[in-house]
Amino acid sequence: LRFGKLLEDIDAFAGNIAFMHCNDFDPDTTIPILVTACLDRLDIQYPITLELGQDLQLQGKASWAGRTSLEIEIRLMPKNGAQD
């Protein structure tokens, strides 16, 4: 697993979450333009040991919304079981 590829996937996932949060499903509404400003913090709460063929799962949500910005919270965990 390349760490840079993982960060790229997390960034794309955060963009999808932000788009779903902003989408009002009205075809007359202008499509929002979204930009990743920064990654504020990356906490490794427990080590993830990867085995050949093991899948990982991303979970995310918009944890704060302002008028022009969003905060997205994402968790990465083994797909076979969630750890908190």
Side-chain angles (χ1 to χ4, degrees), residues 63-78:
S63 58
W64 178 85
R67 194 172 74 77
T68 60
S69 59
L70 290 170
E71 179 178 279
I72 307 295
E73 182 179 312
I74 296 177
R75 291 176 175 243
L76 172 73
M77 59 194 65

Side-chain angles (χ1 to χ4, degrees), residues 14-81:
N16 289 339
I17 292 169
F19 183 82
M20 289 188 316
H21 179 81
C22 295
N23 189 6
D24 63 0
F25 299 102
D26 181 357
D28 295 329
T29 302
T30 304
I31 297 173
I33 297 174
L34 304 171
V35 178
T36 301
C38 67
L39 173 66
D40 287 338
R41 192 174 74 213
L42 179 64
D43 295 331
I44 301 174
Q45 297 176 349
Y46 53 89
I48 295 177
T49 304
L50 296 176
E51 297 177 13
L52 189 60
Q54 180 184 10
D55 291 329
L56 298 174
Q57 177 179 357
L58 288 170
Q59 294 180 347
K61 64 180 180 179
S63 58
W64 178 85
R67 194 172 74 77
T68 60
S69 59
L70 290 170
E71 179 178 279
I72 307 295
E73 182 179 312
I74 296 177
R75 291 176 175 243
L76 172 73
M77 59 194 65
K79 189 172 185 176
N80 59 357

